[in-house]
Amino acid sequence: MKKFTSVNDVKDLQEIIKKALQIKENPLSETGKGKGKTIGLVFLNSSLRTRLSSQIAAQNLGLNVLTLNAAQEAWNLEFADGAVMNGDTVEHIKDAIEVLNQYCDIIAVRCFAGMKSKEDDVNESILSQFEQHAKVPVISLESATRHPLQSLADCVTITENWHEERKPKVVLTWAPHIKPIAHAVGNSFAEWMQEMDVDFVITNPEGYDLDKKFTKDVKIIHNQEEALKDADFIYVKNWSSFDDYATMPEVKENWMLTNEKLANTNQGKVMHCLPVRRNVELSDEVMDGENSIIYQQAKNRIFSAQAVFSEILDQLNSK
């Protein structure tokens, strides 16, 4: 594995899921693999699970960890090519990345969608610069359009909770929110589920269909009750409109997941990437109920990250 920004960078999904589950059994099995190497974790946005899980995963492999909260601790960055920097930006992203190349063996970066320019977000205006200018492997800790480490953890969580011969039915359901939310988690989950042996369905209100680049031929149902019928796993997530970019078209129906709605499922396990707005996206009764595997999902962030870091180190150590 030379980089990790999407499912397309994974040679064998089932193998890396298996590896993550093996790491979960013995997280300190490869403590010497990262000896003498440094990973730079660059956060352009806030984080809890991604930050902590990445740090733990790297330390478990013996990596030296540098964490930069770039939005608060670094110079104001300029991202535009050819910019005349006579304003409030002090350092160009190209220069910052070149310095990171000198200090780090791996660069991992987290950046969100700006939610202002559809073109910039779809074209990954920030992550693409790291991919272009980095001379070391780049790992996405989330970007404008994808959240691959979260999606790998989701695949791990589904795998360890499914023990039947038939395919599980997995439903990605839209949820309410108080503000426009980016599409990265929904896009990424849709992309990864299409590589899993599952019956996958997306349900969202009219006007909230995700980018077809990620959903492709996945069945999209605009009736939540119909979509949830006999579901084995329900992934709850909000996102704003893609077609009318970053807007929130009116939704009259109640899309918050409740125990009453879960009664229509096959004792469906409930997932969410966190953070969650309780009693907006998910009711307390579901969040704290026996169907919730959300905290298990959060713990698996460590082992998914560690599996990826381990694969990257194999590539570096083979040189």
Side-chain angles (χ1 to χ4, degrees):
M1 186 184 292
K2 297 181 179 180
K3 65 184 181 75
F4 184 78
T5 60
S6 78
V7 71
N8 300 319
D9 296 318
V10 177
K11 184 176 179 180
D12 187 324
L13 178 54
Q14 290 305 313
E15 279 300 311
I16 199 166
I17 291 171
K18 181 180 178 181
K19 179 167 187 163
L21 289 170
Q22 289 172 340
I23 289 169
K24 188 172 184 176
E25 290 294 316
N26 186 4
L28 300 179
S29 60
E30 298 181 317
T31 53
K33 183 175 275 193
K35 184 178 180 181
K37 290 189 169 54
T38 297
I39 184 170
L41 306 178
V42 181
F43 290 89
L44 296 170
N45 302 93
S46 56
S47 174
L48 190 154
R49 279 148 298 279
T50 299
R51 180 191 308 272
L52 298 183
S53 62
S54 296
Q55 289 176 333
I56 294 168
Q59 290 166 359
N60 286 348
L61 291 164
L63 279 160
N64 180 39
V65 184
L66 301 179
T67 302
L68 175 65
N69 301 310
Q72 293 84 32
E73 299 171 352
W75 300 109
N76 287 344
L77 291 169
E78 175 62 58
F79 294 96
D81 282 336
V84 177
M85 292 173 56
N86 57 2
D88 61 356
T89 56
V90 178
E91 183 159 26
H92 200 283
I93 188 64
K94 290 192 290 187
D95 302 323
I97 295 170
E98 185 53 47
V99 172
L100 288 169
N101 284 330
Q102 314 304 313
Y103 296 165
C104 304
D105 300 282
I106 303 168
I107 298 173
V109 58
R110 178 181 177 94
C111 53
F112 291 168
M115 304 293 285
K116 294 178 180 178
S117 167
K118 185 175 184 177
E119 181 180 5
D120 283 351
D121 290 345
V122 168
N123 292 325
E124 294 283 9
S125 61
I126 297 176
L127 179 63
S128 63
Q129 297 210 43
F130 278 85
E131 292 188 274
Q132 178 183 353
H133 299 296
K135 297 171 183 172
V136 300
V138 171
I139 295 172
S140 171
L141 302 177
E142 189 172 4
S143 69
T145 65
R146 293 179 171 102
H147 197 346
L149 281 179
Q150 177 65 58
S151 297
L152 177 54
D154 300 337
C155 292
V156 169
T157 305
I158 289 171
T159 299
E160 69 179 344
N161 281 281
W162 189 249
H163 308 292
E164 298 188 29
E165 292 294 326
R166 66 176 177 85
K167 293 182 181 181
K169 180 179 179 181
V170 180
V171 178
L172 171 62
T173 180
W174 182 90
H177 209 284
I178 65 167
K179 64 180 182 179
I181 298 294
H183 307 92
V185 173
N187 286 343
S188 199
F189 187 70
E191 200 169 44
W192 286 68
M193 284 301 103
Q194 291 171 79
E195 299 298 321
M196 292 278 284
D197 189 21
V198 301
D199 176 15
F200 181 53
V201 175
I202 300 174
T203 184
N204 56 258
E206 296 277 359
Y208 284 90
D209 288 359
L210 292 165
D211 185 353
K212 274 288 187 183
K213 173 183 175 182
F214 299 99
T215 61
K216 297 180 182 176
D217 296 324
V218 172
K219 183 186 294 185
I220 299 170
I221 300 174
H222 295 129
N223 182 306
Q224 189 186 39
E225 181 179 358
E226 177 187 345
L228 290 176
K229 183 172 172 53
D230 298 326
D232 299 295
F233 295 90
I234 304 101
Y235 200 111
V236 178
K237 188 69 180 88
N238 175 266
W239 58 85
S240 56
S241 175
F242 178 74
D243 288 336
D244 190 7
Y245 196 68
T247 66
M248 299 173 65
E250 182 182 5
V251 177
K252 294 181 179 179
E253 300 86 357
N254 178 11
W255 281 75
M256 185 179 72
L257 192 63
T258 62
N259 277 345
E260 182 180 359
K261 293 181 180 180
L262 280 181
N264 190 38
T265 72
N266 185 33
Q267 298 181 333
K269 301 292 187 183
V270 178
M271 304 173 69
H272 191 288
C273 62
L274 296 175
V276 64
R277 288 184 179 263
R278 284 172 174 258
N279 301 308
V280 176
E281 296 176 82
L282 267 174
S283 61
D284 279 339
E285 63 181 6
V286 173
M287 185 74 192
D288 300 325
E290 61 183 15
N291 293 75
S292 173
I293 54 173
I294 292 169
Y295 299 134
Q296 178 186 353
Q297 184 184 357
K299 186 174 183 179
N300 284 338
R301 290 295 308 277
I302 298 171
F303 314 116
S304 61
Q306 193 167 330
V308 169
F309 296 172
S310 177
E311 292 282 303
I312 296 284
L313 285 170
D314 284 342
Q315 170 73 16
L316 293 176
N317 292 334
S318 68
K319 292 181 179 180

